[in-house]
């Protein structure tokens, strides 16, 4: 049986995922807000015993999947935050 664990996601990880998935560069605090408001971090997991590279890939894929699922709302949130 494969065991999974939840990966700790930092704001800079979220910045990378937003940039990769949406092509938008955001400040670290805004990336943290998007993480807090739109991402279910319990769904960002990796297989126990995986390498650091595999963990990083698992994290990015999980973040990009969730960003894609909330793409419209996240873009609107970012646009409103940058105007304020």
């Amino acid at each position: 049986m494969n065991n999974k664990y939840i990966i700790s996601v930092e704001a800079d990880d979220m910045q990378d995922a937003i940039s990769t998935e949406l092509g938008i560069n955001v400040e670290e605090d805004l990336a943290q807000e998007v993480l807090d408001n739109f991402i279910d971090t319990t769904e960002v997991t990796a297989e126990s015993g995986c390498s650091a590279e595999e963990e990083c890939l698992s994290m990015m894929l999980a973040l990009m999947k969730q960003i894609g699922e909330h793409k419209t709302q996240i873009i609107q949130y970012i646009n409103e935050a940058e105007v304020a």
Side-chain angles (χ1 to χ4, degrees):
M1 175 173 124
N2 290 335
N3 291 324
K4 291 190 173 204
Y5 64 95
I6 296 172
I7 303 169
S8 176
V9 180
E10 303 294 329
D12 60 332
D13 300 321
M14 195 63 199
Q15 279 179 300
D16 291 344
I18 291 169
S19 177
T20 302
E21 182 67 16
L22 302 178
I24 301 171
N25 295 314
V26 297
E27 296 295 322
E28 197 168 301
D29 8 343
L30 184 52
Q32 183 66 50
E33 289 177 33
V34 172
L35 176 62
D36 294 342
N37 290 303
F38 296 98
I39 303 300
D40 178 0
T41 55
T42 64
E43 296 295 319
V44 183
T45 62
E47 296 289 332
S48 293
C50 69
S51 69
E53 291 82 11
E54 290 168 328
E55 179 185 89
C56 184
L57 179 60
S58 293
M59 177 179 52
M60 289 302 289
L61 290 174
L63 290 175
M64 289 168 44
K65 178 179 184 274
Q66 290 189 55
I67 290 168
E69 290 170 352
H70 302 286
K71 182 177 184 172
T72 303
Q73 299 97 317
I74 291 173
I75 291 171
Q76 182 178 353
Y77 186 87
I78 290 169
N79 288 339
E80 289 173 0
E82 289 179 341
V83 168

